[in-house]
Amino acid sequence: MIQTSAIFLFLNYCLGKKVDMSMVVAKIDWRQLYNFASRQALLGFCFDGIERLTKEFSEELKQNPMGRDLLMTWMGAAQQIRRQNMKVNAVVGKLYSKFREDGLRCCILKGQGNALMYPNAYSRNPGDIDVWIDASRERIMEYTQKKFELGDDIRLQHLETSLDDVPVELHFFPCSMNNPIYHARLQKWFRRNVDLQCSHIVGLPDGAGDIAIPTTAFNVVYQLTHLYHHFFDEGIGMRQIIDYFLVVNDFSKNVFLDTDFSNPSVSLSKGSSTSHPSPLSSEERDVTALRCSEPLRSKDGGPSKVSPDCAGWDCLTIEGDNSAGSTTAVTSSASTALVVVQRELKYLGLWKFAGAVMYVLHEALGLSEEKMIAPMDEKRGKLLLAEILNGGNFGKHFTKYGHFTQQGMAKKYFLKIWRNMHFVRYYPAEALSEPIFRTWHFFWRMKNKK
């Protein structure tokens, strides 16, 4: 296996950073790099880096050529990913319009919203479409039974269906936690923030339509929760880590942290586009770009007034208009955002995991400490990084556990318990609650089957 330091350097290069790749290009094993990208669902993302290498390090590539067969295989995979993104974008736009026409407010979680932050929006491996619908479980169930084809299974947080052969998850709420106390707190946090997320409108590429996606301030908490959930459920991969790096990087444009986390010093950062986010751009924009795009009005009415605790501090000043160019309100808003994020991470039981993720973002993708939302936790970070590298995308390549979906139900149940017991001393509340929650959820699903 190629050295992880070379992999991480290449990932930084793929993110658009100015990195001297001459030594890596001269020695790298291209087949092993391809295998890594395949395991981590990064073939399209890494191929963008390969294309850039051919232009900037052509002489070094002559000394260590990739080989035509591998190059064509990789190119074919990247083109397929591009076509998949175009199809999913079209379905996302169609699906969102359908909900809006039927009077349901919603937003698209992760997925194609995250792709907009990438240097190339078509390079991210697309998955299913996650839609968070702002309605009661009963209303969502009634609606989807009339409008979609559903299986006989239902999960606590979503229904599974499809549209134009693209898998779709219709969420009652975005994510769950194993510990019942933190789960209850998380659901209250979601309900407090749903209004703004369903009003934050962006445009999809190629005229695929407008959709609502969560604000960066919401994503910095929500997507960390999603990582935490999958860490215990099956595993997380580098694609999810890159997604979160881009979220944190975008968030840091508006909030800068001092290394003293007990007394953070905040300064003003200009610019955060809400239409096509581009966190890697160094171009400064006017401070008025910090505001949300115009909310899309629905049959249920527009958004209510945003509270100071609402996850939209990245695109709203706290009070009053700032059109005159005053930085006071924006600076105060940035300060509020940082304080609230750190407070919410602790309240939701995510503080330790946040430190682990910050370590991974620093080691793998070069996130600087002043951009971090929490101090690095090296001990937990090394554990997380090892799990990511060993398991690959959603833990599909674990060897010490075996991939969970390939096991029988009983064996899978005990394998997950055995795996999560390794995490008890690092995250006791969540690890000890996981088998209890999973057992309860199994019987809940049996009871609620159609």
Side-chain angles (χ1 to χ4, degrees), residues 246-409:
L246 294 173
V247 169
V248 172
N249 197 58
D250 195 41
F251 182 71
S252 70
K253 286 180 174 182
N254 307 321
V255 180
F256 284 89
L257 297 177
D258 188 83
T259 51
D260 179 9
F261 284 88
S262 62
N263 184 24
S265 174
V266 184
S267 61
L268 174 66
S269 173
K270 292 186 179 180
S272 178
S273 171
T274 60
S275 178
H276 290 283
S278 180
L280 301 175
S281 172
S282 60
E283 181 182 1
E284 292 188 344
R285 291 175 290 273
D286 190 83
V287 291
T288 55
L290 292 167
R291 291 187 177 84
C292 278
S293 56
E294 180 65 20
L296 183 64
R297 302 291 173 173
S298 71
K299 295 178 182 179
D300 298 325
S304 59
K305 183 178 179 181
V306 179
S307 71
D309 290 339
C310 201
W313 327 282
D314 59 329
C315 53
L316 294 172
T317 56
I318 15 182
E319 289 294 340
D321 187 17
N322 191 46
S323 58
S326 171
T327 62
T328 305
V330 182
T331 305
S332 299
S333 181
S335 178
T336 301
L338 175 60
V339 171
V340 172
V341 163
Q342 293 190 341
R343 184 189 68 202
E344 298 290 14
L345 292 177
K346 294 173 183 177
Y347 183 71
L348 296 172
L350 295 167
W351 187 248
K352 292 178 180 178
F353 187 69
V357 173
M358 292 304 104
Y359 174 85
V360 173
L361 295 183
H362 177 73
E363 291 295 307
L365 304 173
L367 182 71
S368 58
E369 291 190 50
E370 62 267 18
K371 293 185 177 182
M372 294 181 183
I373 60 170
M376 286 187 290
D377 187 326
E378 183 176 358
K379 179 176 64 175
R380 291 178 176 83
K382 286 182 176 179
L383 170 69
L384 175 60
L385 185 56
E387 290 287 308
I388 292 168
L389 294 178
N390 291 333
N393 191 49
F394 288 123
K396 293 179 181 177
H397 301 279
F398 276 129
T399 54
K400 60 179 178 179
Y401 310 119
H403 185 228
F404 300 122
T405 60
Q406 298 171 354
Q407 311 296 332
M409 184 177 293

Side-chain angles (χ1 to χ4, degrees), residues 3 62 69 77 104 116 130 152 220 226 288 297 305 310-311 344 346 354 435 443:
Q3 293 182 350
K62 291 178 181 178
D69 289 346
L104 288 172
L116 295 176
D130 295 271
D152 63 352
V220 82
H226 182 257
T288 55
R297 302 291 173 173
K305 183 178 179 181
C310 201
E344 298 290 14
K346 294 173 183 177
F443 288 107

Side-chain angles (χ1 to χ4, degrees), residues 154-180:
I154 179 176
R155 305 297 176 98
L156 180 66
Q157 66 192 48
H158 66 252
L159 294 168
E160 295 180 358
T161 183
S162 64
L163 180 63
D164 297 342
D165 298 321
V166 176
V168 177
E169 292 183 356
L170 304 178
H171 283 254
F172 311 119
F173 52 86
C175 193
S176 63
M177 293 184 75
N178 296 322
N179 183 276

Side-chain angles (χ1 to χ4, degrees), residues 7-8 10-17 36-37 40-52 74 77-78 81-82 85 117-125 238-239 242-243 245-246 280 365:
I7 295 176
F8 296 159
F10 181 70
L11 293 180
N12 276 263
Y13 183 78
C14 294
L15 285 167
K17 298 182 181 180
F36 167 82
Q40 299 291 346
L42 294 175
L43 283 174
F45 175 73
C46 288
F47 188 75
D48 274 8
I50 297 296
E51 287 189 311
R52 186 176 156 204
W74 207 330
I81 290 167
R82 179 182 177 84
N85 272 299
M117 297 185 294
Y118 277 65
N120 174 6
Y122 297 108
S123 68
R124 181 185 183 274
N125 277 46
M238 193 59 70
R239 184 190 67 167
I242 291 175
D243 281 356
F245 169 85
L246 294 173
L280 301 175
L365 304 173

